[in-house]
Amino acid sequence: GRGGGDSGEFRRARVLMGTVVEITLLDGGAASDAEAAMEAAFSAMAEVEASMSAHRDDSEVARLNAAAEPVEVSAATAEVLELGLRVATASGGAFDLTLGRLKALWGFDGDAPRVPSDPEIAAALQGIGPASLRLAGRRVTKGDAALRVDLGAIAKGYAVDRAVAALRAAGIRHASVNAGGDLRLLGDHGGRPWRIGIQHPRDPQGVLVTLELADAAVVTSGDYERFFEVEGVRYHHILDPRDGRPADACQSVTVVAASAAEADALATAAFVLGPEAGRRLVESRGGLALFVAADGEVSLSEDLKDRVRRP
Ligand code: FAD
Ligand code: MG
Ligand code: MG
């Protein structure tokens, strides 16, 4: 619904990509202009979902996954694949957009997730890795017909970037787009930074820290977002391609970067790499990172320290 009351904020929420997407405009101008800008932003995100979803049989990703021959994809999908492959290489394979079979094996998105056997995991890891996917312009070739691409760790961020581009094209200069933890800020908040609460990974109602930021993307990957438990052990959806099991170095990683696609990919990669190697990766690509390690210890990039406020 329309929110904000007398603050002049204009807010809408819609379910996309299996999550609630909330857009807030600070300078929507006339109500009709704000509605049109909102509509453009949500449509841009719906377009990304339609082409990049692994949850739909008619997406480009589904077509690529079903194909044995090279596939021509849209410019947008090619852009996401290219960025994903770059982060995959920079992370030494910790980020891997070819682990679709492994993800399906664990069943995190279905109603019957389970711990697979070692042979099942070994079979799902067979032939995966960034080298097994070749991109030439918009033409994608899988090294193995059985390879399954999954853009779940990067496409939500990309959709947020498209929404911000649509808002900007509609003349909006101050806004936020939040897709369930993948967030991007356009401009500042009334001449001051926006204040963004980062969720405490072990306290659903708690805020770990507040970040003061403007014109930036802030994306968090956590082990609390999608998981199941068996005999007190938590199995979550961020998988370490080295052993095919949930990565165990972190509870959560928050990345601040210029674009949400970059921040999304880096947050997942850094989660797998852990606080030290993860921070080096994020900083090498111009981003900043905040880690909660598996033991609860908090660490962060030096340049992020003056943006942090305790809750
Ligand atoms: P992130 O850390 O950003 O990503 C984790 C996800 O990336 C995992 O779920 C897995 O898919 C993949 N992944 C795991 N390990 C790695 C790794 N090492 N390297 C690279 N990737 C990895 N959910 C629904 O329930 N219903 C839907 O219809 C639906 N549609 C979607 C459509 C799109 C286009 C996208 C992008 C997501 C959609 N989702 C949907 C959500 C999706 O299934 C994931 O749960 C979500 O993208 C995970 O995002 P995250 O920010 O929680 O974690
Ligand atoms: Mg991600
Ligand atoms: Mg995310």
Side-chain angles (χ1 to χ4, degrees), residues 95 151-157 182 219-221 238 260-269:
F95 182 87
L151 301 181
I154 183 171
K156 216 171 3 146
D182 285 36
V219 174
T220 299
S221 268
I238 304 173
E262 173 91 29
D264 193 354
L266 287 177
T268 307

Side-chain angles (χ1 to χ4, degrees), residues 53-129:
S53 178
H55 297 258
R56 293 184 179 197
D57 298 333
D58 59 351
S59 69
E60 289 184 4
V61 165
R63 192 156 54 81
L64 175 62
N65 283 341
E69 300 298 313
V71 167
E72 190 92 11
V73 296
S74 64
T77 299
E79 190 184 340
V80 171
L81 287 170
E82 199 198 341
L83 175 61
L85 288 171
R86 261 189 275 130
V87 172
T89 304
S91 68
F95 182 87
D96 188 342
L97 37 70
T98 67
L99 45 61
R101 271 197 341 262
L102 181 69
K103 162 110 188 272
L105 180 63
W106 283 87
F108 292 108
D109 294 339
D111 37 17
R114 66 182 182 92
V115 183
S117 70
D118 290 346
E120 285 177 310
I121 290 176
L125 287 172
Q126 199 65 45
I128 76 164

Side-chain angles (χ1 to χ4, degrees), residues 201-202 223 248-253 274-275 290-299:
R202 291 293 175 268
D223 68 1
D248 58 9
C250 299
Q251 293 178 6
S252 73
V253 180
L290 170 74
F291 290 85
V292 181
D295 63 4
E297 190 178 322
V298 175
S299 61

